[in-house]
Amino acid sequence: MTLRVQILKDKFNSSLGLPFKELLPTSVIEQAISELNIRYYRRLFDPIVTLWAFLSQVLDTDKSCQNPVSKIIAYLAGVGVEIPSTDTSAYCQARSRLPETLLQKLFRETGENLEEKVTTEYLWCGRNVKVIDGSTVSMPDTAENQKAYPQPSSQKPGCGFPIAKVGVIFSLATGAAIALCIDVMNTHDIKLARQLYQFLNPLDILLGDRAFCAYTDLIAIKKINCDAVFRKHQARKTSMRKGKIVGDCDKLVTWYKPKICPKGLSLDEFDILPPSITVREIYYYIVIPGFRTKRVSLITTLLDKVTYSTLDIVGLYDQRWDVELNLRHLKTTLGMDVLRCKTPSMVRKEIYVYLLAYNLLRSLMWSAATTYGTPALRLSLQGTRHHLNNFIPQLLAAASTKRLQIYRTLLKVIVHKTVSDRPGRSEPRVRKRRPKAYPLMTKPRHELRKQLQTA
């Protein structure tokens, strides 16, 4: 057993460990296991082998559990040792034994370690910018998943899928995911955000859309020595006659404490809020044909017009769209949109592994970009994943002396696949490809089967 485990560790270190050597080598995983005081039996699927297999599973287009088990059998068959059973039960049980705290810790450490590589030239006005947004993911329709993450109330029982709401903070410089929280679908974005403020570092700037623009949250962000740039919430009316004008379409306004305690706050938290806060309001118009939004009002706690000019802040908010692309990479490119695990605890683990894999790809893109002088955010994440998966067999087959050369070639080909920056692009929100002409499910499947049998 020990020999087989060591063989697998060496194989995974050669295939995945080398590209991600700076963020997730075996030593980092072992240190996290030690710090969390995780104890385990010496078996084929120990935490390290299981984690590497889990990562290879989410990075591949085939998400089945059979795929990583087949890879492990192939690795062991290649060196002539006893191969395990082709049954996926042992691997699935090993995944369930992986502590969620271990995956959380590794995910956060990869994001933080990648952030440490950001130099001054990649900062905005000398400060680090984090972007926040929320999204949803669906999962198999099991009783446990439905209980933890209920389907939309508008759908009949048995006709929908459980859905979880996720809130994520991304780094604007690297694109890496920094923090995550998971809740039920009908949770408001702002409630998720209040769980994520603790992961901001002093002097960070938080960038978000209008859902996060609330008096309480601006106070909370300033309290931790950070700043915010949000689009103004639609419920707040704009008045050009109020406020101190500091520039064209730029003024300082005073917001006063709400008269009624907002939802989500206790009376004690509401009572200690200051009576007012001064914010900066910037408004501008969008004249690009086809754009749905014609006027944008921004609210920020960056009051110094000399250090943070009007155009700088407008340009910064324009980059908020990157968070939508990051979420699309997670859900569409990597396939996190539809999860496969059948219990709530495994669903959360699966989400953390997806984010860990996403951060590792971002680290590979960052290494390639800084090595060859290309903007990291202009590189294709899908292309990076394709190159990585195609280079893995070569990394496995190569001798240790040649492996580093192959890794450098991998970095070189990654920068060949760039994504064009097309600001101001607008497309109609329509679908050309017609879906199949089947009706939507309006009754549970067992009722529909019975209906077919009696017809």
Side-chain angles (χ1 to χ4, degrees):
M1 182 67 71
T2 304
L3 175 62
R4 294 198 297 173
V5 170
Q6 190 58 49
I7 290 171
L8 289 176
K9 288 180 180 178
D10 292 342
K11 292 289 186 182
F12 280 118
N13 270 324
S14 301
S15 59
L16 290 177
L18 179 61
F20 307 140
K21 61 180 178 180
E22 297 179 358
L23 288 189
L24 198 66
T26 303
S27 58
V28 170
I29 304 174
E30 289 174 342
Q31 182 181 349
I33 291 173
S34 176
E35 290 176 358
L36 296 172
N37 198 25
I38 298 171
R39 301 187 179 277
Y40 57 92
Y41 293 109
R42 297 176 64 183
R43 44 166 62 101
L44 178 63
F45 287 104
D46 71 353
I48 298 175
V49 172
T50 305
L51 177 60
W52 282 124
F54 208 163
L55 278 172
S56 69
Q57 181 181 359
V58 301
L59 284 170
D60 208 317
T61 52
D62 181 359
K63 309 295 184 185
S64 67
C65 290
Q66 189 65 60
N67 191 26
V69 171
S70 178
K71 287 181 182 178
I72 287 172
I73 292 173
Y75 292 162
L76 295 176
V79 292
V81 298
E82 182 186 356
I83 63 172
S85 168
T86 57
D87 190 86
T88 61
S89 176
Y91 171 60
C92 292
Q93 291 178 46
R95 289 198 316 170
S96 66
R97 288 193 299 267
L98 273 179
E100 188 176 331
T101 52
L102 174 63
L103 301 178
Q104 288 178 352
K105 183 177 179 62
L106 292 174
F107 153 65
R108 288 172 186 161
E109 284 186 356
T110 54
E112 292 169 0
N113 292 341
L114 188 53
E115 281 293 280
E116 292 175 359
K117 299 179 183 297
V118 178
T119 54
T120 308
E121 60 183 302
Y122 297 102
L123 301 180
W124 180 83
C125 293
R127 296 179 66 175
N128 215 331
V129 179
K130 307 291 176 58
V131 197
I132 188 172
D133 206 358
S135 188
T136 57
V137 292
S138 69
M139 62 199 74
D141 188 14
T142 65
E144 290 179 90
N145 285 344
Q146 283 283 10
K147 184 177 180 180
Y149 304 107
Q151 68 182 42
S153 57
S154 59
Q155 294 177 326
K156 295 180 180 179
C159 300
F161 292 93
I163 297 180
K165 185 79 169 281
V166 295
V168 191
I169 291 181
F170 293 93
S171 166
L172 187 65
T174 65
I178 306 300
L180 166 76
C181 63
I182 308 170
D183 213 322
V184 297
M185 188 195 67
N186 60 359
T187 305
H188 196 281
D189 286 353
I190 209 164
K191 183 178 178 182
L192 297 176
R194 288 167 185 169
Q195 301 177 46
L196 295 173
Y197 294 153
Q198 59 181 310
F199 301 108
L200 296 176
N201 298 319
L203 299 182
D204 279 351
I205 296 174
L206 187 62
L207 184 63
D209 63 15
R210 61 178 60 176
F212 307 98
C213 188
Y215 179 89
T216 304
D217 295 78
L218 293 175
I219 296 291
I221 292 169
K222 286 298 293 181
K223 191 174 181 180
I224 57 177
N225 197 23
C226 294
D227 285 291
V229 177
F230 296 145
R231 187 176 175 186
K232 188 164 78 169
H233 196 275
Q234 64 271 19
R236 283 190 175 268
K237 304 301 180 182
T238 301
S239 175
M240 298 297 101
R241 293 172 295 180
K242 294 183 179 180
K244 177 184 176 182
I245 297 176
V246 294
D248 293 338
C249 304
D250 196 340
K251 61 182 180 178
L252 298 179
V253 296
T254 301
W255 282 13
Y256 295 98
K257 179 178 176 179
K259 296 181 180 179
I260 302 174
C261 179
K263 292 181 179 179
L265 280 187
S266 65
L267 287 177
D268 292 337
E269 292 172 328
F270 179 70
D271 290 339
I272 63 175
L273 291 177
S276 65
I277 182 176
T278 300
V279 297
R280 185 174 166 193
E281 181 174 355
I282 299 171
Y283 54 94
Y284 59 96
Y285 295 89
I286 298 177
V287 293
I288 301 174
F291 266 53
R292 180 178 54 183
T293 303
K294 300 301 181 184
R295 173 182 167 135
V296 177
S297 292
L298 303 181
I299 298 297
T300 178
T301 55
L302 300 169
L303 306 184
D304 187 352
K305 189 180 184 298
V306 177
T307 306
Y308 314 104
S309 69
T310 306
L311 289 178
D312 284 340
I313 294 177
V314 171
L316 176 63
Y317 187 76
D318 187 54
Q319 297 179 62
R320 192 208 69 83
W321 184 252
D322 286 351
V323 73
E324 307 287 350
L325 301 180
N326 294 339
L327 287 169
R328 188 180 71 179
H329 283 319
L330 274 168
K331 296 176 63 175
T332 304
T333 305
L334 294 184
M336 195 183 79
D337 189 25
V338 179
L339 302 173
R340 303 176 68 92
C341 292
K342 298 181 179 181
T343 63
S345 62
M346 281 304 303
V347 162
R348 292 191 294 271
K349 293 177 189 178
E350 189 176 4
I351 292 173
Y352 276 111
V353 173
Y354 267 108
L355 285 165
L356 178 57
Y358 168 83
N359 278 355
L360 295 175
L361 287 176
R362 283 293 183 187
S363 73
L364 196 55
M365 295 162 68
W366 183 263
S367 297
T370 52
T371 302
Y372 292 97
T374 303
L377 297 181
R378 294 272 67 84
L379 298 181
S380 168
L381 188 133
Q382 179 73 292
T384 301
R385 186 180 71 154
H386 286 163
H387 288 314
L388 173 64
N389 286 335
N390 292 331
F391 267 70
I392 281 176
Q394 306 305 319
L395 289 168
L396 286 170
S400 57
T401 54
K402 194 178 178 182
R403 202 169 287 144
L404 187 58
Q405 179 185 346
I406 295 175
Y407 169 64
R408 289 172 180 164
T409 305
L410 171 61
L411 296 183
K412 190 173 183 178
V413 298
I414 284 174
V415 300
H416 290 168
K417 184 66 175 178
T418 58
V419 179
S420 301
D421 185 17
R422 296 177 285 181
R425 183 170 61 107
S426 61
E427 293 287 343
R429 290 193 168 189
V430 294
R431 292 183 299 168
K432 181 179 180 180
R433 193 172 297 280
R434 270 59 172 172
K436 300 294 183 182
Y438 292 118
L440 295 175
M441 180 183 285
T442 57
K443 296 179 181 179
R445 190 172 296 274
H446 68 276
E447 292 185 13
L448 292 176
R449 285 201 196 99
K450 188 180 295 184
Q451 187 175 320
L452 287 174
Q453 294 170 358
T454 56

